[in-house]
Amino acid sequence: MANMKLYLLLGLFAFFLRMLVIQGAEGTCRLLGKFDLHGYVESENHMLIIGGMFPIHFRTIPEKEPTTSEPVSPKCEGFNFRGFRWARAMIHAIQEVNNRLDILPNITLGYHIYDTCFTTSKTVEGTLAYLTGQNETMPNFRCSAGAPLVAVIGAGGSTLTIASSRIVGLYYFPEVGYASSCSVLSDKYQFPSFLRTIPNDNHQSLAMAELVRHFGWVWIGTIAADDDYGKYGIKYFKQNVEKSGICIAFSETIPKIFSREKILAVVEAIKESTANIIVVYSSDIDLSPLMEEIANSNITGKTWIASEAWVTSALIAKPEYFSFLGGTIGFGVRRGDIPGLKDFLLDVHPDNAASDDLTIEFWQTAFNCTWPNSTVPYNTDFRINVTGRESGVHPVSDQLCTGKEKLEDIKNTYLDVSELRITYNVYKAVFTVAHALNNLDTCVEGNGPFPKNSCAIIYDFEPWQLMYYLKNVKFTTFDNELVKIDDNGDVYASYDIINWQLNETGEISFVKIGIYNDTKDGHEMKIYNNDSIFWNTPTLKPPRSVCTENCQPGARKGIRHGVPACCFVCIPCADGEISNKTGTAQKECFPCPDDYCSNTLKNECVLKEVEFLAYDEALGTTLVAVSLFGACIVLSVTIVYRIHRDTAVVKANDRGLSFLIQLSLVITLLTSFLFVGKPKEWSCQIRQVTLALGFSLCLSCILGKTIALLLTYRGSKLNAAEKHDHISMQSFHQKLLVLISMIIEVCICTAYLTCIPPYVYKNMEFQNVKIILECNEGSIEFLCTMFGFDVFLAVLCFITAFIARKLPDNFNEAKFITFGMLVFFIVWISFVPAYLSTRGKFKVVVEIFAILASSFGLLGCIFLPKRYIILLKPERNTEEIISGKATTNDNSAPSTSASCTSEVTNSTLSSMVLDE
Ligand code: TRP
């Protein structure tokens, strides 16, 4: 908006110019208006003049809209001792150049300094005055006969410089800034003739962001002056911090034109915010009313981050503000000492230049007196009445100045040379111009940079020719600092990090706590010693500034809609997920690896408990013991059979088959050992197979038995020789049957194990905290085929036994087998639903139960009745009773069969014994 106005102004101005020139050519020039500019001029007897613009006053006095009277250029108010020091430093620097023999030995420089009053309008007035001369009637021509102006130093604040630099840029007239740090001034397209000795603010914004990150502050308020400096500075700072997840709690602007309401609104925002860190990008002049209001409102507990324009300003760093502003951290541009400056500053007296308004005003303000016979209004220091700014010039003080007042006796910003930062920049700016002029002067014809290797002539050169030398300037100051201007007109960035502390005399001292330097590869920030920093907090520890405290490990940040990301809620992690970090990395919880689950605090993944039926737990031990017990019983049966091998009961049964059945029962009983314990690849692979083989051996033997029972009955009708053949054939068939069934089963098992074998499987589906270690059966189809064959055999057994149960036999063998088969079926049929409905290790328990139950069932039904007879009823263990002769005389057939069977058994057994 301000720029728009300026353009409009310039446009109008250009129009009048044209009119004037045209009319001028016809001989009628008209003075459009007179500027009211103040400053210092020293041009006589000098060959070249350097211009300078400094804020020697704080502001202009707002005039009422002129309507009926002739408009006049506004007056200024609020004497700025700091700006006055800068202006005096320029004069000092020029004098030094003039005294030095190595720079411009034959040429002396004059100066032309204007007061900008820290306003754009005065700056533009000054700039135009430079270009045309103050009393010229013909702008665009510089007609005066005086020494040519070579460059302008200035104009202080960035907004002022932007305005003036746009004008001088039109003529490619050099302007060297000493305080204008705004980043846009590096744009050579807009400001082709601007250079500066202060670093570009982008570096400062980056440094501030780095500082904020360094101390872990994430909730920050920003305040910017309502000008290019404040707005661009804060904008770049925000861009930088927001990248690192830092949030801006509030963004306020300080008005350029004093407005109490607007300042109170800013104060209110600060008061209400929970942000303890406030970054302020503003000149001290603009910030001063806000700080006064902050002191009035008694806002404490905030840590202020200062930009270079106010970090060492006596206007803000007042001891009475220390309780609010103590501990402020800021960035100051490199400081330097200027030899002889202090003496030069002291050498100012209204008597030396009686007509000089500024010096008189300085004297009057410094000593609070009125210079005799002076029309210069007396002006207090920068004063604001909190009820509204007092405008206008203050009444003349009653006390008359004597001229004998001693500057040495007063404490004044003007004389404070302890923090020469901007002053040092002014000094460097003058030397930049001087060195450029010197280079221009020392150019050797034929080696020059201009067309045909020509040189410019120091008495008569064009601004663009000096620009060439300015852009290539490189020199070292007496402070041993290398000043080098780059292509954008910028210098290398180097800042001191300054902390406000209270010294013994009760004043604020600016303690250097670190540095920030722009290096070739990035930048480096060094904070010397964290303990040397003063923090204005009750604990004297670094403040914290967060919207919401970080979540504890075990929780994650949950977004709250409509508020910045730094204000969040903490949501505990779900089961199986953890978060063990705090800070920015806590956006989400991370799932634990497969074998792990989260602990109760959700901050660590712990190994899941592995569950399987172990030998050392009660259930495992019991089952193993039972199966071992079963195996012992079977063994005892074998022993009993062996001892009583010649008794009728034993002989009545095929001993080979009985032995195989016993063997198979031992096998099936002992497979429970494979089911208990940690499943291994090998145990998974053999356990079902062994079981299936065990059962198929057992069932095929039983089938052999039952078929034999059926066939024996038929054989009973044969004669003796036929019977013998029949019996040996039958024994052979029995063995063949067992062999074939075993071969079939072995084939199925082999195919199963080679094609899709079972494997160890970590089952994590059912429980989050446990891994169930189990065997995955690989192929269900193969498993079913394998056990299906067993079932097939069992069904055959059952059918044959069922048919044979009515046949008269020795001692109801077929009945017992039928019964045994029924037990077998019942066990395995009830096994299926039980197995499917259990989980984890109990699945294995169910299976072992089924194995044990079916094995014991078979054992009980097939062997125990016989053992009972052998051991407890030896009187019934006679061939007569066994063959049924003793009880059923009418039934001859079974007896034959029984004796036949015993014969067969005998022969088989003897052959087995032989085999052994
Ligand atoms: N850097 C400021 C700008 O670009 C000007 C500045 C620096 C300033 N130091 C200052 C203004 C001290 C006033 C007082 O606008």
Side-chain angles (χ1 to χ4, degrees), residues 61-282:
I61 306 167
E63 289 282 329
K64 285 197 201 78
E65 284 281 304
T67 44
T68 49
S69 56
E70 188 193 350
V72 284
S73 179
K75 298 252 175 296
C76 300
E77 64 171 348
F79 194 84
N80 180 7
F81 288 107
R82 198 177 175 194
F84 190 60
R85 185 202 322 137
W86 297 346
R88 296 278 301 162
M90 173 170 165
I91 300 172
H92 175 63
I94 287 179
Q95 287 184 356
E96 187 163 313
V97 171
N98 288 344
N99 292 340
R100 268 170 71 161
L101 297 176
D102 55 335
I103 311 170
L104 298 170
N106 306 321
I107 290 158
T108 57
L109 300 175
Y111 53 85
H112 208 142
I113 292 171
Y114 285 134
D115 175 14
T116 62
C117 300
F118 206 59
T119 48
T120 313
S121 61
K122 278 273 174 243
T123 312
V124 174
E125 280 184 15
T127 313
L128 292 175
Y130 281 131
L131 294 174
T132 64
Q134 228 200 120
N135 298 317
E136 310 294 343
T137 46
M138 299 243 296
N140 264 9
F141 289 91
R142 201 178 153 85
C143 310
S144 63
L149 188 81
V150 292
V152 178
I153 310 281
S158 292
T159 302
L160 315 185
T161 309
I162 286 172
S164 91
S165 182
R166 281 196 202 278
I167 301 169
V168 295
L170 298 175
Y171 305 101
Y172 214 58
F173 188 86
E175 175 159 6
V176 186
Y178 53 87
S180 321
S181 48
C182 182
S183 54
V184 287
L185 283 163
S186 290
D187 180 354
K188 290 304 110 182
Y189 185 72
Q190 294 191 63
F191 308 99
S193 64
F194 180 75
L195 322 148
R196 55 184 157 192
T197 54
I198 188 167
N200 180 332
D201 272 342
N202 280 353
H203 297 289
Q204 185 174 193
S205 301
L206 232 109
M208 284 181 173
E210 183 87 23
L211 184 86
V212 164
R213 274 193 292 267
H214 176 89
F215 289 108
W217 299 316
V218 293
W219 187 232
I220 285 160
T222 63
I223 296 177
D226 195 5
D227 58 13
D228 300 85
Y229 170 62
K231 286 180 188 166
Y232 280 98
I234 285 293
K235 180 179 151 208
Y236 200 68
F237 167 78
K238 276 193 201 164
Q239 272 175 11
N240 265 296
V241 291
E242 276 169 358
K243 268 188 248 158
S244 2
I246 293 166
C247 306
I248 304 296
F250 62 86
S251 276
E252 296 293 331
T253 32
I254 314 173
K256 265 266 167 211
I257 312 284
F258 180 79
S259 151
R260 184 137 196 266
E261 297 84 77
K262 287 183 185 165
I263 287 181
L264 284 178
V266 178
V267 170
E268 208 47 42
I270 300 171
K271 248 196 230 165
E272 271 172 23
S273 174
T274 50
N276 291 330
I277 307 296
I278 302 170
V279 175
V280 184
Y281 243 108
S282 166

Side-chain angles (χ1 to χ4, degrees), residues 675 681 683-693 744-759 775-787 835 847:
F675 283 89
E681 215 60 35
S683 69
C684 278
Q685 284 181 8
I686 62 167
R687 65 191 200 182
Q688 301 288 16
V689 171
T690 324
L691 187 66
L693 285 173
I744 294 174
E745 188 70 332
V746 166
C747 287
I748 299 173
C749 291
T750 318
Y752 179 25
L753 289 186
T754 45
C755 297
I756 312 164
Y759 53 88
C775 290
N776 185 300
E777 304 309 347
S779 156
I780 289 297
E781 291 77 9
F782 270 116
L783 190 78
C784 289
T785 324
M786 201 169 72
F787 283 109
Y835 185 79
E847 192 161 355

